Amino acid sequence: MTERREFLSNSLQDVKSRIASAAQLAGRDIAEITLIAVTKTYPVSDVAILRDLGQGNFGENRTEEGSMKSLEVPGIWHYQGQVQSRKLREIASWADVIHSLDQLSHIEKLNRICEETSKKIGVFIQLSLDGAPERGGVVEQELAGLGDAVAASSGLELKGVMCVPPVEYEHQLAFAEIAQIHQRFTSRFPSAKSLSAGMSSDFEIAIAHGATHIRVGSQILGSRTYHP
């Protein structure tokens, strides 16, 4: 076993153990929770090792990386970066799930692309707790309209809601609010049971508040080296 494989194996098992403990504390079935290994900035060789170790869900924020890595490593690929209209066709070519839709025009365009390509893409609508435009997402009052658009489409499957709490929010309060909003959303869209929330620094709190999809990068792959 190479040093890198050993590191990834140990850290992946550690994260899985923490997920199991958090699920048990919350009285939840671990089968409800999907771990997405966020591989942005890491080499495709790391993704291949994780796949070999049994990890099947991978996340990318840049479509160029997602396109390249998904060609080399099979799996369920998640796009979670901010969506640009001009990149939608490229994103749709490799992503199985998109976590960050927050505009009606993007939903309509993505649906047209899926109809053209006979592909079905799972989507989360991105929630913003504070309405700050630079982080993306919509406030609760706008969720239903976007949910209606996805539900009416033929190429998209409404999975649920995604949210990244603002850094200045206290974690417990933020995830409690997200959970309440998601619950109200599912009362209108009963099949949208998924909640994409929680990352390396807070996934255990997110699980305690009902997160079904957690996005973990550095806790599995180690410190990132960012490239401009």
Side-chain angles (χ1 to χ4, degrees):
M1 183 180 285
T2 66
E3 184 178 342
R4 183 59 176 166
R5 183 185 174 91
E6 183 176 9
F7 174 86
L8 291 175
S9 177
N10 290 339
S11 56
L12 180 62
Q13 283 307 121
D14 178 63
V15 167
K16 286 182 174 180
S17 295
R18 290 168 60 190
I19 291 170
S21 295
Q24 185 176 25
L25 280 171
R28 297 182 59 197
D29 183 350
I30 193 172
E32 299 173 357
I33 300 165
T34 297
L35 169 62
I36 302 166
V38 180
T39 55
K40 65 177 183 180
T41 77
Y42 297 102
V44 70
S45 56
D46 281 353
V47 188
I49 291 170
L50 289 172
R51 175 70 184 183
D52 195 44
L53 291 169
Q55 176 62 26
N57 285 268
F58 304 99
E60 283 292 336
N61 287 46
R62 295 179 178 177
T63 188
E64 295 81 5
E65 282 193 72
S67 178
M68 180 270 292
K69 291 173 183 175
S70 64
L71 283 174
E72 297 196 37
V73 182
I76 300 172
W77 284 87
H78 301 252
Y79 179 77
Q80 50 207 36
Q82 287 196 326
V83 174
Q84 296 175 290
S85 181
R86 63 185 178 86
K87 297 271 189 165
L88 266 175
R89 188 170 294 276
E90 187 178 356
I91 294 168
S93 72
W94 62 268
D96 302 292
V97 184
I98 297 174
H99 288 244
S100 46
L101 283 179
D102 62 0
Q103 292 186 37
L104 179 60
S105 61
H106 292 166
I107 291 169
E108 292 171 343
K109 183 174 180 178
L110 183 62
N111 183 53
R112 288 195 299 272
I113 293 167
C114 287
E115 288 177 340
E116 290 170 17
T117 57
S118 299
K119 182 177 182 179
K120 193 94 169 180
I121 293 180
V123 301
F124 290 83
I125 299 172
Q126 184 174 348
L127 166 70
S128 170
L129 290 184
D130 62 359
E134 65 273 10
R135 280 193 298 272
V138 296
V139 295
E140 180 181 4
Q141 291 77 9
E142 298 176 51
L143 284 177
L146 297 183
D148 284 337
V150 175
S153 70
S154 59
L156 309 179
E157 178 191 357
L158 182 60
K159 305 282 286 183
V161 171
M162 184 276 271
C163 189
V164 180
V167 293
E168 63 271 17
Y169 277 44
E170 197 278 320
H171 283 177
Q172 292 284 358
L173 293 175
F175 284 111
E177 183 179 351
I178 292 166
Q180 290 164 3
I181 292 171
H182 180 239
Q183 189 172 36
R184 291 192 286 269
F185 187 77
T186 55
S187 69
R188 181 174 177 130
F189 304 99
S191 64
K193 298 183 185 303
S194 296
L195 176 59
S196 176
M199 299 185 287
S200 285
S201 62
D202 53 22
F203 67 82
E204 286 145 317
I205 302 171
I207 288 170
H209 289 283
T212 62
H213 291 66
I214 59 171
R215 310 178 305 275
V216 180
S218 58
Q219 290 291 321
I220 295 173
L221 290 121
S223 301
R224 282 194 174 87
T225 301
Y226 281 96
H227 304 288

